[in-house]
Amino acid sequence: MAQLFPFTDPMASDLSPPKQFVRGEGIRVFDADGKAYIDAVSALWCASLGFAPDRLRQAMDRQMGELAYYHSFMGRTPEITNRLAQRLAQHLPGPLNHVFFGTSGSEAVETAAKFARYYQEARGKPDKRRFIAREGAYHGSGQMSAALTGLTYCHDGFGLPLADVLRTGRPHFLRDADPGETEIAFSKRRARELDALIRQEDACTITAFIGEPAMGAGGVILPPEGYWSEIQEVLARHDILLIADEIICGFGRTGQWFACETYDIAPDMMTMAKQLTAAVFPMSAVAMTDHVRDTMAGLAGQHGTLGHGVTYGGHPVGAAVALECLDIYAEMDLPTHVQTLGDRIGTHLQDLKSLPGVLDVRRDGMLAAVEFDTNGKFGPDLGRRIGEEAERRGVFFRIIGDVLAIAPPYICTPEDIDDIMLVMRDSIGHITGAHHLPAAAT
Ligand SMILES: Cc1ncc(COP(=O)(O)O)c(C=O)c1O
């Protein structure tokens, strides 16, 4: 085997090579034996328009024929990339007004972290260099983005996390609330803990807090009531920037264009990738406010350049794909479309709630999860066993410990949603032995 696979046990893949896929059609991918799978988590929360989107192929093809590559360094840029920046600025929430393009989500987080330091340097506060990130967060696989990540399997063996990263608690009400604590009380406690950490470590050494508005890879953790307003109040009081990592949530996933709108968050910077191009072209972006941009521009002017950028950042073919995605999203009336399909997922989730072994169901828009009780009578690894049963039945969910994540492509029909959720239900029934389940809601 010549390939070393990401987030895969190499010893296990030597014994059992990864399943190979050869074709996509709509929301399905086909393996080398011709077996079809619905990917109910849009692959890596990204393939919002499925696995063979014809309009994106045509957009890519047109752009390849016009200008297949150019960069944005030193006074030049593809016209189409500039057009994308202007179009994005129309969609960005609040005072976010400017974008810097990259190629991957990890790279966008690296860029946002560097920009946060640059901004403080420009304000004459070079000691404000450290970051606060949360337990259970996922921010990527670069040096800093992995350090900001709060999952130990991303650190083990890599000399991570870095000393410049401080850690605070995740907003997981189900798992981390004290007995009898309300959601609001829990949110206030998380804010008090953050405040105490900042006081202990000294706000003059901290540049930014980074958080996913709704956490994805850490187990689809949706913010409890009051969480983001409490956290933002603490950050503002200590003059600490807020970076919203919208790499999963951005472009509709939680039922608004951006999750910052869903949860009333006003970040100083925002990272985007994945659904920006529906994953068919590697592209990411960091958005920032006028204030952050202008402050950075002051320092860059003194240096004669903003000394940061990558060869493929703002790639014209990616820009063409992103513009086509924005057209498609606008035509589907994105927030309404996601809310409607999301409600359908919600109806099924209510139905699953009372099934044996199910501890919790949760959802915002088309981002949802079922959490299983692995300490109960069904034994450990219940989520994994149910996820594997669903895979045998032709549907991929993302298995995250005790959680099965659901984030289907936006091109699902209501009937596709029913099919996906019925496979979830039947798989739960099969593994827990509850074969005679009451009739499902549709
Ligand atoms: C919230 C979040 N940030 C950053 C990343 C990293 O993105 P990429 O895999 O494109 O580097 C991911 C990837 O899943 C993510 O979910």
Side-chain angles (χ1 to χ4, degrees), residues 199-211:
R199 286 173 193 281
Q200 178 192 310
E201 298 289 337
D202 186 357
C204 296
T205 68
I206 301 168
T207 173
F209 174 103
I210 185 166

Side-chain angles (χ1 to χ4, degrees), residues 88-97 246 257-262 265-267 270 272 287-289:
L88 278 174
Q90 290 166 13
H91 281 292
L92 292 170
L96 296 172
N97 235 348
E246 288 249 18
W257 274 91
F258 293 97
C260 284
E261 295 159 301
T262 309
I265 306 171
M270 188 171 103
M272 299 164 266
M288 69 207 80
T289 60

Side-chain angles (χ1 to χ4, degrees), residues 98-381:
H98 307 270
V99 287
F100 186 95
F101 289 114
T103 56
S104 73
S106 302
E107 195 192 289
V109 171
E110 300 290 331
T111 294
K114 281 182 75 181
F115 283 5
R117 285 180 168 171
Y118 202 84
Y119 164 83
Q120 303 294 4
E121 179 98 21
R123 296 168 75 212
K125 301 192 175 187
D127 292 339
K128 277 174 94 64
R129 297 176 43 79
R130 299 200 287 171
F131 296 89
I132 303 178
R134 298 176 300 174
E135 305 284 355
Y138 184 73
H139 296 297
S141 282
Q143 194 79 257
M144 180 55 88
S145 49
L148 294 168
T149 292
L151 299 164
T152 50
Y153 63 85
C154 298
H155 299 159
D156 295 342
F158 291 110
L160 294 170
L162 305 173
D164 278 345
V165 176
L166 306 169
R167 191 79 58 201
T168 194
R170 59 185 184 167
H172 201 337
F173 180 72
L174 178 75
R175 295 279 176 190
D176 300 342
D178 289 336
E181 201 174 27
T182 63
E183 284 199 25
I184 290 190
F186 174 64
S187 295
K188 284 186 186 297
R189 175 157 66 83
R190 282 291 186 243
R192 276 199 308 279
E193 291 163 0
L194 177 63
D195 186 60
L197 176 71
I198 295 168
R199 286 173 193 281
Q200 178 192 310
E201 298 289 337
D202 186 357
C204 296
T205 68
I206 301 168
T207 173
F209 174 103
I210 185 166
E212 304 149 83
M215 296 171 83
V220 187
I221 302 169
L222 307 177
E225 196 179 348
Y227 176 78
W228 277 112
S229 67
E230 293 287 338
I231 294 294
Q232 290 181 96
E233 189 278 319
V234 174
L235 297 175
R237 189 152 34 83
H238 290 290
D239 182 27
I240 292 172
L241 294 173
L242 172 57
I243 303 170
D245 183 349
E246 288 249 18
I247 285 168
I248 285 180
C249 296
F251 305 98
R253 186 49 71 187
T254 63
Q256 299 292 337
W257 274 91
F258 293 97
C260 284
E261 295 159 301
T262 309
Y263 305 120
D264 212 3
I265 306 171
D268 302 285
M269 280 190 262
M270 188 171 103
T271 52
M272 299 164 266
K274 296 192 188 268
Q275 299 181 140
L276 168 61
T277 56
V280 311
F281 197 93
M283 187 174 220
S284 63
V286 179
M288 69 207 80
T289 60
D290 289 339
H291 172 66
V292 169
R293 189 260 176 213
D294 293 348
T295 308
M296 287 177 46
L299 181 61
Q302 287 168 34
H303 291 315
T305 188
L306 175 66
H308 180 80
V310 292
T311 300
Y312 309 114
H315 198 292
V317 179
V321 172
L323 280 165
E324 192 69 22
C325 282
L326 293 176
D327 282 346
I328 296 172
Y329 294 155
E331 285 163 29
M332 58 170 56
D333 192 3
L334 189 63
T336 308
H337 177 81
V338 171
Q339 285 164 26
T340 305
L341 285 182
D343 285 348
R344 196 154 183 123
I345 297 173
T347 305
H348 285 282
L349 288 176
Q350 285 313 312
D351 189 43
L352 298 184
K353 212 171 164 180
S354 55
L355 294 188
V358 174
L359 189 65
D360 186 40
V361 296
R362 47 185 181 265
R363 176 190 72 86
D364 274 322
M366 289 177 76
L367 179 64
V370 181
E371 182 151 355
F372 295 95
D373 180 6
T374 49
N375 298 318
K377 65 174 179 173
F378 301 108
D381 270 354

